[in-house]
Structure formats: C-alpha cells, structure tokens
C-alpha cells in the first residue's frame, strides 16, 4: 500500500525536541554501537552557534531530523534520520534540501557526511539527492565499522 502524504513542518529544533531526537538516534542510527547521542548532547547542539538542528514535525510527532555543523568552508551533516513509519514519503529529501538551503544562506557550498558502508538505504538516498561517495574510512564507527564518506558541492549545480 502506498504511504500517505504527510502534513509536516520543518523548523529549527527547540529544547523539547532533544529527547525524541536522541531516542531516534539510539533506535535508528546507533544500533549496535552504544548510545552516544544522548539528550544532553543533542541539547548542546541545539544551543551551539555553529550547529543547526532541524526537525520535521508532524503535529507533536517527530518525523525526522538532521544535525549540521558549520565550518569555515564546509558543513558536516553529523546525524540524520527519518522515523521508520515516515520513510519513503519525501521527508528525508525535504530535510536535506532545507539544510542545504540554510548552508547556502550561510555562504557554504560543500556538505560532507559519513554513512555506514553497510547502510545501502542511506547510500541510495544520498545518491538520489546528488551526493557522491568519495572514499572509505576504515573503523570510523568506534573502530567497529567502516564508513563511506559522502559529499555534495552545492555550487557545482
Ligand atoms: C536514509 C533515510 C534518511 C531516507 O529517508 P526517507 O525520508 O525515507 O527518504 P525519501 O523518502 O526522501 O527518499 C528520497 C529518495 O531517496 C532514495 N531512497 C530513500 N530510501 C531508500 C531506500 N530504503 N532504498 C533505496 N532508495 C532509497 C529514493 O530514490 C527516494 O525516492 P523515491 O522514494 O521517490 O524512490 C531513512 O531511510 C533513514 O532514516 N534511515 C535510517 C537512518 C540513516 O540511515 N540515516 C542516515 C545515516 S548518514
């Protein structure tokens, strides 16, 4: 059955978003690695001047989120997930495009991120959005799993 279109809003996260974001990270991203993106750490990101935490909210429910850190010349997408029941409805793409627009507004045209080598869904997702895989990083995930480094140059068109 096709997934229903969602009625969601994308905005910057507030303090009250930290807990559901941390829980989604634990359940959807950090499985098998130990929970490091705790509520306290997410809250620190929400308050950090060089980090944007974006949420897609469907009423009170968290449909997805992304955490992006800004450097001088590039932005690093640190953490990103969509709720399992909201996937393949365009929420992830909309969140990435929102974060890209924010980076461009800040004068940054290069976005980097890492994904588990063994995460074909995420790799397909970023490929569909115009991102390129640049290299493999051995043991990136706490020495236990390899990552693929992924990037998009927004100014390259
Ligand atoms: C990867 C993830 C963020 C995708 O979010 P999403 O909201 O389902 O993605 P979208 O609906 O916006 O998909 C956009 C396009 O990406 C591609 N895509 C997304 N999920 C895919 C999958 N499971 N398999 C293959 N392609 C996929 C498709 O081309 C899709 O377009 P389509 O649905 O019209 O075919 C989501 O699966 C997720 O949260 N996974 C667990 C956490 C994770 O891996 N985070 C990223 C780590 S860096």
């Amino acid at each position: 059955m096709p997934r229903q279109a969602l009625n969601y809003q994308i905005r910057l996260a507030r303090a009250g978003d930290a807990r559901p974001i941390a829980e989604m990270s634990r359940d959807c991203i950090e499985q098998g690695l130990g929970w490091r993106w705790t509520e306290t750490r997410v809250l620190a990101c929400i308050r950090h001047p060089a980090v944007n935490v974006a949420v897609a909210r469907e009423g009170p429910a968290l449909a997805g989120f992304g955490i992006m850190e800004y450097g001088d010349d590039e932005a690093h997408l640190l953490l990103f997930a969509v709720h399992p029941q909201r996937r393949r409805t365009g929420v992830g793409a909309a969140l990435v495009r929102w974060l890209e627009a924010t980076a461009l507004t800040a004068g940054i045209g290069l976005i980097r991120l890492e994904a588990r080598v063994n995460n074909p869904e995420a790799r397909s997702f970023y490929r569909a959005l115009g991102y390129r895989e640049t290299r493999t990083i051995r043991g990136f995930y706490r020495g236990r799993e390899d990552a693929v480094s992924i990037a998009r140059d927004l100014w390259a068109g």
Side-chain angles (χ1 to χ4, degrees):
M1 195 164 68
R3 294 276 167 96
Q4 277 187 312
L6 299 168
N7 185 16
Y8 61 89
Q9 179 206 12
I10 297 178
R11 59 160 171 78
L12 284 173
R14 302 171 190 140
D17 295 310
R19 185 169 191 78
I21 289 172
E23 289 173 349
M24 199 183 287
S25 176
R26 178 195 63 199
D27 298 342
C28 299
I29 300 174
E30 299 184 274
Q31 65 275 41
L33 295 173
W35 191 17
R36 289 202 181 170
W37 284 91
T38 59
E39 181 179 358
T40 305
R41 188 170 175 193
V42 173
L43 196 55
C45 286
I46 290 171
R47 292 179 174 151
H48 198 289
V51 180
N52 268 344
V53 182
V55 290
R57 278 281 187 186
E58 196 187 3
L62 181 67
F65 73 91
I67 301 183
M68 178 104 96
E69 180 179 39
Y70 296 92
D72 288 341
D73 304 316
E74 58 184 54
H76 192 187
L77 190 52
L78 300 174
L79 210 61
F80 191 89
V82 171
H83 189 285
Q85 291 173 1
R86 309 291 195 279
R87 290 182 192 164
R88 298 310 287 265
T89 61
V91 172
L95 265 169
V96 166
R97 296 308 187 211
W98 193 96
L99 287 162
E100 288 175 347
T102 309
L104 281 171
T105 301
I108 291 173
L110 185 65
I111 297 183
R112 291 191 187 281
L113 62 110
E114 292 82 27
R116 292 189 200 204
V117 165
N118 189 20
N119 187 349
E121 295 85 6
R123 294 174 70 174
S124 295
F125 169 70
Y126 290 113
R127 203 174 308 122
L129 296 186
Y131 285 70
R132 286 185 307 107
E133 297 187 352
T134 54
R135 65 190 177 109
T136 301
I137 310 173
R138 301 271 168 228
F140 179 82
Y141 294 102
R142 293 151 219 182
R144 290 190 227 166
E145 281 191 49
D146 299 341
V148 58
S149 187
I150 298 174
R152 180 164 186 231
D153 183 346
L154 303 176
W155 287 320

